[in-house]
Amino acid sequence: MENLKEIQATAADKLIAVDSEIKLAEFKAFVFGKSGLVTELMKTLKSLPNDQKPQAGKEINDLRVAISTMIENKEKELHRMAIDRAINEEGIDLSIDKPLHRIGSLHPLNRIRDKLVNYFVGNGYIVYDSPEIESDYYNFQALNIPPDHPARDMQDTFFIEDGILLRSQTSSGQIRHMEHHKPPLKMICPGRVYRSDDDSTHSPVFHQLEGLVIDKNVTLCDLKGTLEGFAKFIFGDQTTIRFRPSYFPFTEPSVEVDVSCFNCHGRGCRVCKNTGWIEILGAGMVNRKVLENCNIDPDEYHGFAFGMGLDRITMILHAINDIKLLWENDVRFLHMFD
């Protein structure tokens, strides 16, 4: 035991002088190498009487564990020293003149989408997401669009195969929502839609946001009040709206909704094409057949629906004259909205 204590004291003294990982590796070889202190002690076990071997083996193992613990502590100490040294030697020179990268921002379409979603959610609507690859039933039939309707024309709709297509309107989400939820309902369905259309104000891929309200005693006046609040929120408190009769298969009566020009306030300018009004969305009272297709009693419940193009609203607000600018990802254009 006296010999073992002496060896442990010697190892501890030598370990104090270790100040690098290389020296620590040399110390490990000195203790546990082929000719190391502990290794040589283990070799002496075979020369001891059998009755002394267990006790001697235990004492040697205790020594090995004690030295191993000291080595682990030394490794932690060296690691801390290396970090401190790196901090002192690799300081940041704040005086270096280096141009910083510009921070990105939300795409203008996403800005408008988030603004509108937050507005309607704040007014009690829920957000519903529906598939972009849709069936003929949800995109057309359930919305009271028969097989011979012009909206089914191959020039307007991207058909993948018979009965399957890229949705041409987010109204399909309204049908799916009404199938699984019973009135009263207040929901919006924002998302991408697809139509075979391409010019300066139309794109084969664009974005819509549609809303639906179903409850008892819902009238066209409720629709007008809802859209007036939306128009004032997005275009300013001075904005007014007007309804023009229109036709949509899934609403009856149907209306086109115009807002007073936020740029000239009705006097006439380039933005409103000198009319004082800007067409902004379509809306109407939900057709009885649509409610019946979703197993909702049209004699008990009524509702209204509205749909708007997010791309169009973005283009109007920012005076963008070509919808393709929203899709080209030109950094110079996008930086205008930082």
Side-chain angles (χ1 to χ4, degrees):
M1 283 297 296
E2 292 298 329
N3 191 31
L4 296 181
K5 290 179 180 180
E6 183 180 345
I7 292 175
Q8 183 173 343
T10 301
D13 291 339
K14 286 185 173 292
L15 196 57
I16 293 175
V18 172
D19 58 2
S20 68
E21 293 184 355
I22 294 176
K23 291 183 178 180
L24 184 61
E26 293 174 351
F27 176 80
K28 290 180 181 179
F30 170 73
V31 177
F32 298 119
K34 291 184 177 181
S35 301
L37 294 178
V38 176
T39 306
E40 291 297 325
L41 284 173
M42 295 296 293
K43 292 178 180 179
T44 63
L45 286 176
K46 61 184 179 181
S47 63
L48 294 176
N50 291 334
D51 60 337
Q52 295 181 16
K53 287 181 179 179
Q55 181 61 28
K58 178 181 179 303
E59 293 171 356
I60 295 174
N61 187 62
D62 290 344
L63 174 65
R64 182 187 62 79
V65 172
I67 296 177
S68 296
T69 301
M70 289 190 293
I71 291 174
E72 290 179 5
N73 293 334
K74 193 65 178 182
E75 287 178 334
K76 293 178 182 179
E77 179 185 342
L78 292 175
H79 181 66
R80 287 194 299 269
M81 291 170 59
I83 293 176
D84 292 340
R85 187 164 51 251
I87 292 175
N88 294 328
E89 294 176 355
E90 300 175 12
I92 299 175
D93 186 355
L94 298 178
S95 65
I96 296 178
D97 185 16
K98 182 179 180 181
L100 299 177
H101 294 290
R102 297 187 67 173
I103 299 175
S105 62
L106 285 176
H107 191 281
L109 270 174
N110 287 336
R111 288 175 182 268
I112 296 299
R113 179 186 185 278
D114 292 348
K115 187 174 183 179
L116 293 179
V117 167
N118 290 338
Y119 171 78
F120 284 107
V121 169
N123 282 274
Y125 290 74
I126 68 166
V127 180
Y128 184 81
D129 190 23
S130 64
E132 294 183 18
I133 298 178
E134 193 55 275
S135 69
D136 181 276
Y137 173 78
Y138 286 106
N139 197 78
F140 291 129
Q141 296 178 38
L143 289 165
N144 195 37
I145 302 176
D148 57 350
H149 194 279
R152 292 171 174 264
D153 195 317
M154 291 295 289
Q155 299 301 315
D156 296 326
T157 307
F158 290 107
F159 288 90
I160 299 175
E161 58 184 45
D162 189 26
I164 303 296
L165 48 91
L166 296 178
R167 67 179 179 187
S168 59
Q169 55 205 357
T170 51
S171 303
S172 57
Q174 298 179 10
I175 301 299
R176 289 182 176 274
H177 186 70
M178 285 190 286
E179 279 187 345
H180 297 93
H181 301 83
K182 298 307 175 185
L185 303 174
K186 290 182 74 174
M187 59 84 73
I188 56 172
C189 184
R192 278 191 298 259
V193 294
Y194 306 83
R195 294 182 190 176
S196 183
D197 204 353
D198 188 15
D199 56 40
S200 62
T201 58
H202 298 84
S203 170
V205 184
F206 58 103
H207 298 79
Q208 282 186 341
L209 184 146
E210 298 205 15
L212 174 72
V213 174
I214 305 292
D215 204 346
K216 296 179 180 179
N217 303 317
V218 176
T219 68
L220 198 65
C221 292
D222 297 311
L223 171 61
K224 190 170 188 293
T226 297
L227 296 182
E228 278 184 338
F230 148 76
K232 291 181 182 298
F233 170 75
I234 200 72
F235 295 110
D237 292 336
Q238 304 302 316
T239 304
T240 59
I241 69 170
R242 71 177 183 183
F243 282 177
R244 290 182 290 106
S246 186
Y247 168 76
F248 303 112
F250 33 84
T251 54
E252 181 61 38
S254 304
V255 295
E256 295 283 358
V257 182
D258 300 335
V259 297
S260 58
C261 182
F262 61 91
N263 187 56
C264 67
H265 303 293
R267 294 187 298 272
C269 68
R270 176 182 59 83
V271 175
C272 61
K273 299 178 181 178
N274 294 313
T275 65
W277 296 91
I278 302 173
E279 180 184 336
I280 199 67
L281 58 87
M285 302 302 293
V286 179
N287 193 298
R288 291 176 58 91
K289 291 185 178 180
V290 174
L291 294 176
E292 290 173 351
N293 289 337
C294 298
N295 296 318
I296 296 176
D297 186 355
D299 293 322
E300 182 179 5
Y301 291 101
H302 308 87
F304 62 76
F306 55 86
M308 64 191 76
L310 298 181
D311 309 69
R312 176 169 175 75
I313 294 177
T314 303
M315 292 175 67
I316 292 172
L317 287 174
H318 297 295
I320 300 171
N321 58 11
D322 192 339
I323 194 173
K324 294 180 177 62
L325 291 171
L326 298 174
W327 293 92
E328 290 177 346
N329 288 327
D330 188 324
V331 175
R332 296 168 299 176
F333 171 76
L334 296 177
H335 277 326
M336 296 171 61
F337 306 94
D338 285 352

